[in-house]
Amino acid sequence: MARIDEARRSLIVGAAVIAFGILFVVAIAVFQSKGLFKDKVEITADFRQVSGLKPGSPVQLEGIEIGMVKERRFVEIEYPCDPDTEDRGRFGQGRTDHCDRTLFCAPEGKCAELDPYSFNKDLYLRCEQDDQCREGEVCVTDEFRRRYRRVSWNSNKGLCDGYVTGHKRIQVVMAVYADRMQHIRDDSRATISQNGVLGDQLVQLSVGRGTQIEPGGQVQTIPAMIEELDNIKDRADGMFDKVESTIGGVAELAKTMGDPKTVRNIQDLLANANDVTRRTAEGTGTLGSLLNNESTAKDFSASLRNVRESASGLDRSLERARSGLQTFEQDLEPAVQRGRESIAKVSHAVEDIRDPNSKSLAAELLSDPEGKLVGHVEQTLGGARRLTAGINAGEGTAGRLLRDPKVYDDLVGFFQGLQRSGAIKFLVRWARARDTRDPRIPRAID
């Protein structure tokens, strides 16, 4: 009996070991197929909403599973960008794409989102460029809409609107296989989709062609279907608002057209137009005379010719003025150069005067702190003034000569005696006769 029990225990233990081995092999195969033993790296993607996505949800690359969602967390983040190259130009030739499709690059170099339109035009300034808007606003122009097509805006163009650069997102951390990272590039995109019609939510990645993303890098996102529906709803609301405004304008126009006074005004206007047309066709009135009278047409043609001739004369005058300006400009430069040379000479002279080692009289006068030289000059001038005063008073030899009338009478008598002297007259005639250059005196023949 004991042998039977021992054999039964051995059989049970052996069966359990075999079953455990089979389960172990199956588990290894399953885990291997799930990639649990493969090397993984982490990348992130920021979504507006992740309805139905949870840790453990699959991550697919074009439909092929390459990892799973590891963590979800709320973040407040800013994305840097370059306003000169963001969404501008050709791919691979300096174009950058750092902002999500629903964002634009603000002037301060951060990805921004426009404030929702409030459907009240009085709250928005009209503009043609950003500098016409207030601080913290951007001008929504045609060029802006062409550049950022996915940015939500439900009003007309040419309005200033505010924006925000700080974004609240749900950051999804994904663990993907390291050997699949070569297909995830900086132009790859992530979106949340369903695994079948009734399946769980998953993260779907697209294959890119740009630079390979590094471990820990970020993949830009594409709005989910529910977000696209919200955008369509907002656009529809904007269209309905425009339709209501248009219908209101049409109703107001119909109301105005139904007013008897407006109808009479239109009838009178049409009657006046018919009367003007009739008189013009008959050649009466100012316009009719102008169009049907040959003399008036000739005068009008002559006036046009005079205008053309005046315009030609004006062109010639402008050309002469332009030539004169060119000549003046050519002559101005040498004059300016001469002026500069003169100023340089004056500056050199001033520097020489200011030089304490200079020996010139002006430098000595300016650099004479004790006033010795000035005192000498004043003494010299004082002596000259005293000498002049003495001469005027008849003092000294010069004064007596100038003030004594006898000296003057003696000099006059002396010169009169010279004029009466025959010897002096003979000498004068002889000198003039010897001077052959004087044609008035005949030459003596030897």
Side-chain angles (χ1 to χ4, degrees):
M1 193 68 179
R3 291 181 179 178
I4 294 175
D5 294 338
E6 185 178 354
R8 185 179 297 172
R9 266 196 313 271
S10 299
L11 181 60
I12 293 173
V13 171
V17 170
I18 293 172
F20 181 76
I22 293 173
L23 290 174
F24 182 75
V25 172
V26 172
I28 291 176
V30 172
F31 291 160
Q32 186 69 26
S33 64
K34 292 292 184 180
L36 298 179
F37 298 107
K38 290 184 178 181
D39 293 333
K40 297 183 180 67
V41 295
E42 293 183 358
I43 58 175
T44 61
D46 298 340
F47 294 94
R48 294 176 182 267
Q49 57 182 3
V50 290
S51 177
L53 194 70
K54 58 184 181 296
S57 296
V59 177
Q60 294 184 356
L61 179 65
E62 301 291 356
I64 300 175
E65 189 170 334
I66 61 169
M68 63 179 180
V69 175
K70 184 178 180 180
E71 183 184 358
R72 301 170 304 169
R73 58 195 179 202
F74 288 97
V75 294
E76 293 187 6
I77 191 169
E78 293 181 345
Y79 305 105
C81 61
D82 188 347
D84 296 329
T85 58
E86 182 70 18
D87 289 343
R88 177 175 289 170
R90 301 179 61 181
F91 290 100
Q93 298 183 4
R95 179 190 177 105
T96 58
D97 194 12
H98 299 302
C99 302
D100 287 346
R101 294 183 179 181
T102 58
L103 305 179
F104 69 96
C105 190
E108 58 263 35
K110 296 179 182 179
C111 297
E113 181 179 8
L114 287 175
D115 293 337
Y117 182 63
S118 65
F119 301 103
N120 186 357
K121 294 182 179 180
D122 296 336
L123 301 178
Y124 300 88
L125 296 177
R126 291 284 181 179
C127 65
E128 295 180 356
Q129 51 191 6
D130 291 343
D131 56 6
Q132 297 175 346
C133 300
R134 293 182 288 261
E135 185 178 0
E137 292 184 345
V138 67
C139 186
V140 184
T141 60
D142 289 331
E143 195 275 335
F144 180 91
R145 298 298 294 151
R146 286 193 297 268
R147 185 177 179 184
Y148 305 109
R149 297 180 182 275
R150 295 297 186 93
V151 175
S152 178
W153 179 247
N154 300 319
S155 180
N156 298 327
K157 305 177 185 67
L159 298 177
C160 295
D161 189 36
Y163 58 86
V164 293
T165 57
H167 311 283
K168 294 182 179 181
R169 296 288 188 268
I170 299 175
Q171 191 171 81
V172 176
V173 181
M174 298 171 286
V176 299
Y177 304 147
D179 58 351
R180 301 295 186 180
M181 287 291 293
Q182 59 179 330
H183 303 295
I184 305 176
R185 306 301 180 96
D186 57 2
D187 57 342
S188 297
R189 297 294 181 266
T191 185
I192 297 177
S193 60
Q194 283 185 330
N195 191 5
V197 179
L198 300 177
D200 295 332
Q201 300 290 93
L202 56 85
V203 178
Q204 188 71 251
L205 300 178
S206 63
V207 176
R209 296 182 298 175
T211 306
Q212 180 178 341
I213 191 173
E214 297 293 333
Q218 181 182 2
V219 181
Q220 291 189 25
T221 60
I222 297 176
M225 182 62 67
I226 186 66
E227 296 181 51
E228 293 289 352
L229 292 176
D230 290 339
N231 291 333
I232 293 174
K233 177 180 175 299
D234 293 338
R235 293 179 182 178
D237 291 340
M239 293 177 62
F240 289 149
D241 181 72
K242 293 179 181 178
V243 170
E244 289 178 357
S245 300
T246 303
I247 292 175
V250 172
E252 186 67 24
L253 178 61
K255 181 180 177 181
T256 304
M257 294 299 296
D259 186 9
K261 183 178 180 180
T262 303
V263 174
R264 287 195 301 271
N265 292 334
I266 294 176
Q267 291 176 350
D268 293 341
L269 181 63
L270 292 175
N272 291 332
N274 291 331
D275 184 60
V276 171
T277 303
R278 179 183 56 78
R279 286 187 296 171
T280 301
E282 294 174 355
T284 60
T286 303
L287 183 61
S289 301
L290 179 63
L291 295 177
N292 295 280
N293 193 337
E294 294 183 0
S295 61
T296 304
K298 291 180 180 178
D299 293 340
F300 186 71
S301 300
S303 300
L304 290 179
R305 285 195 298 272
N306 293 332
V307 170
R308 286 196 295 268
E309 292 175 357
S310 300
S312 301
L314 180 60
D315 291 337
R316 290 191 295 270
S317 300
L318 291 176
E319 185 63 28
R320 288 194 297 270
R322 190 180 298 108
S323 301
L325 288 176
Q326 292 178 354
T327 304
F328 174 74
E329 183 178 2
Q330 293 174 357
D331 295 339
L332 180 61
E333 185 174 356
V336 170
Q337 184 63 29
R338 289 192 297 270
R340 290 175 178 173
E341 293 175 356
S342 301
I343 293 174
K345 292 179 180 179
V346 172
S347 300
H348 180 71
V350 171
E351 291 178 356
D352 182 67
I353 291 172
R354 291 179 177 177
D355 187 4
N357 299 322
S358 178
K359 301 300 182 181
S360 63
L361 179 60
E364 290 181 359
L365 286 172
L366 293 176
S367 61
D368 186 13
E370 299 179 358
K372 294 181 179 180
L373 186 58
V374 175
H376 295 326
V377 172
E378 292 178 350
Q379 292 177 2
T380 303
L381 293 176
R385 285 195 295 269
R386 289 192 298 272
L387 179 60
T388 303
I391 292 174
N392 291 331
E395 299 176 355
T397 305
R400 287 193 296 272
L401 288 175
L402 294 176
R403 303 288 294 181
D404 190 358
K406 184 176 181 302
V407 176
Y408 172 76
D409 294 337
D410 292 342
L411 289 175
V412 171
F414 174 74
F415 284 111
Q416 288 178 352
L418 288 178
Q419 290 178 355
R420 290 192 297 268
S421 175
I424 296 301
K425 292 180 179 180
F426 174 77
L427 289 175
V428 170
R429 284 195 300 270
W430 179 80
R432 292 177 65 182
R434 298 290 296 177
D435 188 2
T436 58
R437 291 175 297 179
D438 191 351
R440 295 174 298 177
I441 304 300
R443 293 183 60 187
I445 300 175
D446 295 335

